[in-house]
Amino acid sequence: MHTYHIHINGLVQGVGFRPLVCRLANELGITGRVSNTTDGVHIECSASIETANAFYNKIISAPPGNAIITHHHMQEIPSKEFFSFTIEQSTDNKKPDLLLTPDIALCNDCREELLVKNNKRYHYPFTTCLNCGPRYSIITALPYDRANTTMQPLQMCDACLSEYNDITDRRHYSQTNSCKDCAVPMYLFVSPGSCISNDAPEIVDTIAAALKAGQIIAVKGIGGYLLLCDATNEAVVNQLRVRKQRPAKPFALMYASIEMAAGDLLLRPFETAALQDKTAPIVLCELKTDPLNGICAAAIAPGLDKVGLMLAYTPLLLLIAGTFGKPLIATSGNISGSPIIYKDRDALLNLFEVADYVLTYEREIVAPQDDSVLQFCKDGQKIILRRSRGLAPNYFPNPFCPTDEAVLAMGAELKAAFTLLDKNNLYISQFLGDQGTLESQTAYKETLEHVTGLLHTEPAHVLVDKHPGYFVAEYGKEIAAVKNNSLTAIQHHKAHFGAVLAENNLLNSDEQILGFVWDGTGYGDDRQVWGGEIFIYEENEIERIVHLDYFPQLLADKMSREPRLSALSLLKNFPAKQSQIQKYFSAQEWKYYQQLVQQPADLLTSSMGRFLDGIACILGICQYNTYEGEAAMKLEVLARSAHNKTSEYYPLVLQKNRIEWDLFLTALLDDCEKGEDIAVVAWKLFFSLAKMVEQISDRFQIEQLAFSGGVFQNALLNELLVENLSQKKTLYFHRQLSPNDECIGFGQMACFEIENRSLGKVFAEKNKTTSKQIQFSH
């Protein structure tokens, strides 16, 4: 007999690792102990070398389903005597070095128990087990144990404690275990100071009745409050829009079952799989022409042909959805533009402006998160639109070099998310929204403090966007100044390109890679507004080689909110055509903007996002964006509806380093004047962009193409690129990250690594030269 120490690192806490190890040890007759520490799972065991190896290999080859092993090793240590195999008390005597377990949707076993009448947990709203339940949203410290979560004040009853200690039970060492006898207390309020019930069955019945009566309910979820209402009641959906100040942005739907969802939406196999995944995201799916459940589709997603849906992912939400028996609107509990509300006190103070009832419970949320959102192209290619609950806060595998000094990348201002590299672990925060409000800035700071506090880390290097007015950049500078850390500013679109390179493991590529980065806005190296950029990556260098020809950026950010201004800017050199959009301006406005557009532009843009906005306005689709990307989304819907999927395209001409679009616009306007179906015009627009990608890559004779930026959230454009180019070129898209600005922090990290490699190469060349000089002098 020998004694061995096994150390396993990664996402190994809160996933049932210790119970698995304990069961395997008992099966193999091994004595020893297992414990959580701040750097993973540690096992000490006594066995023969053959048995120890079998034990080790079984653990590594078949870990718990929710685990991710990043590192592991086994070594012999001085002999110890054990009389059984036990789970020992966790220790926190080392700096944290592990991944943080995300929240996990309700598992099938718990779902079944919730709905079986003779089960102990029948209709218990907070049932969990080793395989599901809140994790990241309730962790207050590491290692992961009940005492280090917001479940700490709630004591288990004797029956739950017996399950907790039973090695054969699914809740063996489940830190969130509870039942009706030791329930998480819950309360239903009709006003901030008036609680009408704390009885779970009564609360669920009351909520179901209120929903049927056309009322709006605020319910606490895993990562924050959700607003629920009847998705078949157009009046209450419109009332929710008014109260939430959300005039047109689509709402998501929540269903109790995949079967009910299939009555309203066309679900392809990969969409069904995503909906039933442990991350339980919102998935954008195509609406059926005649939804079976009577949802008011036009009020839910005005002007769109897809709607986001999710399955009820907590037992409480499933009970509400199941008891109600119809589809529900489920949207973030906030006023439009503000971050999700997650604190009970804030919910009671603020959500009665929107909701008729507020349902709270005594399990505090410490990491607020919106629901993750994704969609699929027709070939199954996944496009992440929002990376949050269930996906945050880890990124694995880490493509960057391990570091002894933590690096913090602050990310972008819109769709903010920071990235933290600590040792060999990479963390990307949940979606933190637009940083234009004090509430969003506070949420950003609190989330950063929470994550760095959990990991006991302070960054030695801070990376920021070059934009001089970004809150996140200024906050990064402040952090660097206080700690006297290094500070590096990285251009926005280079960070986008760096992100898609790193995500596809292309930082070490020996081949040239062409990067298409198309979005709405970003501060350029020439102090203009970039957004239609093409880069080349070669030998650890990113170079901007082509861009969409500049046009005036009218009234700064106002142009991003008003596609009519983008249209006017594009038509500056087409005065005879400007009458097409004059109807979108008052007489006073038209006079003012005519004077403005004739003046020399103070600011220019190459933004593909604004270019598409302008076309959308010219085609009469959208003049004002009531939410980000509205014009582009409606343009995509129109293009998909085209009866003639022609292979004709409008010319985009490469002249030196510019993509000239004058001929493109001339041809498009000619089509409109000839009475061409505007759906076909929209189709030709996107086909032309795909064709232009092919022509430019051929011109530069580059076969490796990468795509990033918010424009590539467009499923139709991605499909056209794949259909027309995948047989000729190698295409790289984002896979774990969104192409929008949520990937900027990750991309800043990639550019930082590229820069360090370039510096290392320079230093190596200098040393090589110096060495030659020394040899010569000798």
Side-chain angles (χ1 to χ4, degrees):
M1 298 288 284
H2 302 266
T3 301
Y4 299 91
H5 172 245
I6 300 171
H7 179 205
I8 303 171
N9 202 302
L11 201 162
V12 294
Q13 297 186 5
V15 294
F17 221 106
R18 290 174 296 177
L20 173 84
V21 169
C22 199
R23 286 195 299 274
L24 280 176
N26 277 270
E27 289 173 14
L28 295 172
I30 292 174
T31 58
R33 61 191 176 199
V34 60
S35 66
N36 277 348
T37 74
T38 45
D39 68 344
V41 171
H42 288 264
I43 305 164
E44 290 183 346
C45 62
S46 290
S48 66
I49 182 63
E50 294 81 10
T51 304
N53 277 327
F55 179 50
Y56 177 51
N57 290 331
K58 279 192 174 184
I59 294 169
I60 302 307
S61 62
N66 293 324
I68 296 173
I69 295 175
T70 58
H71 299 91
H72 57 88
H73 71 266
M74 182 176 78
Q75 64 182 34
E76 188 171 353
I77 58 174
S79 181
K80 294 183 181 181
E81 187 175 10
F82 302 104
F83 299 99
S84 62
F85 198 94
T86 58
I87 298 178
E88 298 285 295
Q89 184 174 351
S90 300
T91 59
D92 59 356
N93 55 0
K94 296 180 180 179
K95 182 187 179 305
D97 181 16
L98 73 169
L99 298 177
L100 303 174
T101 306
D103 299 313
I104 307 168
L106 182 70
C107 71
N108 289 333
D109 289 332
C110 285
R111 182 185 298 270
E112 184 177 339
E113 289 178 345
L114 185 73
L115 303 176
V116 174
K117 284 190 175 180
N118 61 356
N119 191 277
K120 172 186 173 181
R121 288 182 173 80
Y122 173 67
H123 279 199
Y124 174 56
F126 303 101
T127 184
T128 65
C129 72
L130 288 173
N131 302 316
C132 68
R135 299 292 191 270
Y136 174 57
S137 62
I138 63 170
I139 296 172
T140 58
L142 295 171
Y144 176 77
D145 280 307
R146 193 181 183 106
N148 291 332
T149 74
T150 57
M151 288 288 289
Q152 186 272 333
L154 306 172
Q155 301 301 309
M156 281 185 276
C157 66
D158 289 344
C160 284
L161 198 57
S162 177
E163 291 172 333
Y164 183 85
N165 290 316
D166 183 355
I167 192 172
T168 64
D169 198 281
R170 199 174 83 253
R171 294 182 172 88
H172 182 219
Y173 262 71
S174 173
Q175 304 304 314
T176 54
N177 197 23
S178 65
C179 72
K180 294 178 182 178
D181 296 329
C182 54
V184 176
M186 60 192 296
Y187 310 96
L188 183 63
F189 289 84
V190 290
S191 68
S194 180
C195 173
I196 61 170
S197 180
N198 62 358
D199 178 75
E202 181 182 46
I203 286 173
V204 171
D205 289 341
T206 301
I207 287 175
L211 289 167
K212 289 173 184 176
Q215 293 182 297
I216 299 167
I217 318 295
V219 178
K220 191 174 181 180
I222 283 185
Y225 280 81
L226 292 174
L227 296 168
L228 307 180
C229 73
D230 182 355
T232 69
N233 184 335
E234 186 172 353
V236 73
V237 173
N238 289 332
Q239 186 179 53
L240 178 59
R241 289 202 175 280
V242 172
R243 292 184 184 180
K244 194 173 159 69
Q245 299 170 29
R246 182 170 170 156
K249 189 175 182 180
F251 287 129
L253 295 171
M254 178 182 288
Y255 289 87
S257 69
I258 196 74
E259 292 78 15
M260 182 187 289
D264 296 334
L265 298 120
L266 297 169
L267 302 180
R268 296 169 291 189
F270 38 80
E271 289 160 341
T272 299
L275 288 164
Q276 296 177 321
D277 187 71
K278 63 186 177 184
T279 59
I282 294 171
V283 181
L284 268 61
C285 297
E286 185 179 346
L287 281 159
K288 287 187 173 179
T289 306
D290 296 307
L292 292 181
N293 294 297
I295 59 171
C296 45
I300 293 166
L304 302 178
D305 59 355
K306 292 182 180 181
V307 67
L309 74 142
M310 60 180 160
L311 299 181
Y313 55 85
T314 73
L316 174 58
L317 292 174
L318 180 57
L319 287 175
I320 292 171
T323 304
F324 178 58
K326 291 190 291 184
L328 288 165
I329 297 292
T331 187
S332 297
N334 61 355
I335 303 299
S336 199
S338 299
I340 189 170
I341 290 174
Y342 68 101
K343 295 178 181 177
D344 297 339
R345 182 175 179 275
D346 291 343
L348 293 172
L349 285 175
N350 298 300
L351 285 182
F352 280 108
E353 296 177 18
V354 185
D356 301 298
Y357 293 82
V358 174
L359 174 55
T360 73
Y361 51 79
E362 291 185 21
R363 188 180 69 206
E364 186 183 353
I365 297 169
V366 293
Q369 302 160 87
D370 290 277
D371 297 308
S372 294
V373 185
L374 53 90
Q375 68 172 332
F376 290 89
C377 298
K378 61 186 179 183
D379 64 350
Q381 176 191 335
K382 180 171 67 175
I383 304 172
I384 295 177
L385 305 176
R386 184 167 70 200
R387 186 180 181 276
S388 200
R389 176 191 53 76
L391 297 175
N394 307 300
Y395 183 94
F396 179 82
N398 172 20
F400 306 123
C401 296
T403 175
D404 292 328
E405 296 182 319
V407 183
L408 171 64
M410 301 297 289
E413 189 82 351
L414 300 175
K415 294 181 168 56
F418 62 80
T419 299
L420 179 66
L421 178 62
D422 189 30
K423 295 187 176 179
N424 195 43
N425 299 316
L426 188 64
Y427 310 91
I428 302 178
S429 78
Q430 63 272 32
F431 163 82
L432 295 170
D434 178 357
Q435 296 303 298
T437 66
L438 179 61
E439 295 87 350
S440 294
Q441 293 170 10
T442 300
Y444 184 104
K445 290 181 177 181
E446 288 177 347
T447 302
L448 179 56
E449 289 168 2
H450 179 62
V451 171
T452 53
L454 286 176
L455 300 172
H456 298 177
T457 193
E458 290 186 356
H461 307 278
V462 181
L463 316 178
V464 299
D465 193 278
K466 280 190 173 181
H467 196 294
Y470 275 3
F471 156 75
V472 290
E474 292 304 309
Y475 183 41
K477 293 173 187 176
E478 180 185 316
I479 292 171
V482 169
K483 304 294 183 181
N484 198 26
N485 295 332
S486 76
L487 180 74
T488 304
I490 294 165
Q491 200 279 324
H492 182 92
H493 298 93
K494 291 178 181 177
H496 262 301
F497 189 25
V500 71
L501 289 172
E503 192 174 348
N504 288 280
N505 296 311
L506 297 172
L507 295 183
N508 296 317
S509 176
D510 294 328
E511 297 185 51
Q512 291 181 322
I513 302 167
L514 207 56
F516 295 81
V517 180
W518 297 347
D519 65 0
T521 183
Y523 187 73
D525 287 338
D526 58 0
R527 299 187 179 183
Q528 304 304 320
V529 179
W530 290 7
E533 314 308 310
I534 303 175
F535 298 93
I536 190 168
Y537 179 67
E538 183 178 20
E539 296 183 352
N540 295 317
E541 295 287 342
I542 292 177
E543 180 187 357
R544 183 196 193 208
I545 57 170
V546 176
H547 63 84
L548 192 67
D549 201 6
Y550 283 126
F551 52 99
Q553 175 84 23
L554 301 177
L555 298 178
D557 288 340
K558 183 177 174 68
M559 194 160 103
S560 66
R561 299 188 295 272
E562 299 187 17
R564 62 180 189 156
L565 296 183
S566 294
L568 183 60
S569 179
L570 291 176
L571 292 173
K572 176 181 178 178
N573 296 327
F574 298 83
K577 306 292 186 181
Q578 291 179 14
S579 58
Q580 288 188 222
I581 61 169
Q582 186 173 351
K583 59 189 173 184
Y584 305 130
F585 299 83
S586 68
Q588 187 176 1
E589 284 178 326
W590 186 251
K591 181 179 179 181
Y592 169 74
Y593 286 124
Q594 282 293 302
Q595 293 172 349
L596 179 66
V597 80
Q598 296 307 319
Q599 296 173 4
D602 294 328
L603 191 63
L604 299 172
T605 183
S606 60
S607 168
M608 183 64 77
R610 298 294 77 79
F611 183 78
L612 294 175
D613 278 357
I615 300 300
C617 176
I618 290 169
L619 296 181
I621 299 166
C622 184
Q623 292 74 50
Y624 297 88
N625 281 327
T626 63
Y627 58 90
E628 188 188 6
E630 180 177 2
M633 289 170 67
K634 290 181 175 178
L635 192 61
E636 180 185 359
V637 171
L638 184 65
R640 270 202 298 266
S641 71
H643 65 278
N644 177 18
K645 303 292 196 299
T646 177
S647 57
E648 295 178 4
Y649 58 92
Y650 303 123
L652 286 159
V653 181
L654 180 60
Q655 289 289 351
K656 296 184 179 179
N657 67 336
R658 293 174 294 108
I659 301 167
E660 293 189 349
W661 43 263
D662 281 4
L663 292 176
F664 173 103
L665 198 54
T666 299
L668 183 145
L669 292 168
D670 286 347
D671 269 357
C672 292
E673 289 178 359
K674 292 173 186 174
E676 177 66 271
D677 180 1
I678 61 167
V680 174
V681 175
W683 168 267
K684 287 174 69 174
L685 160 66
F686 289 112
F687 188 84
S688 302
L689 295 180
K691 192 67 179 177
M692 181 259 285
V693 169
E694 179 182 4
Q695 290 172 340
I696 289 179
S697 60
D698 286 345
R699 175 81 168 269
F700 285 94
Q701 297 182 325
I702 296 177
E703 307 304 314
Q704 312 281 323
L705 313 182
F707 305 90
S708 188
V711 170
F712 293 105
Q713 294 177 125
N714 184 307
L716 175 61
L717 178 58
N718 286 3
E719 288 165 0
L720 289 170
L721 288 168
V722 170
E723 287 173 10
N724 289 282
L725 291 173
S726 61
Q727 300 300 314
K728 310 170 188 175
K729 313 280 184 179
T730 304
L731 310 182
Y732 298 100
F733 298 92
H734 288 284
R735 296 171 296 166
Q736 289 194 59
L737 301 176
S738 174
N740 67 36
D741 280 4
E742 288 180 48
C743 76
I744 289 294
F746 182 83
Q748 289 167 344
M749 198 74 70
C751 290
F752 182 67
E753 176 145 319
I754 291 169
E755 185 175 307
N756 285 340
R757 290 181 183 185
S758 297
L759 289 173
K761 184 178 178 182
V762 170
F763 291 145
E765 290 297 324
K766 284 184 177 179
N767 290 336
K768 188 176 178 182
T769 303
T770 304
S771 175
K772 286 180 179 178
Q773 289 173 344
I774 291 170
Q775 290 172 3
F776 180 78
S777 63
H778 279 306

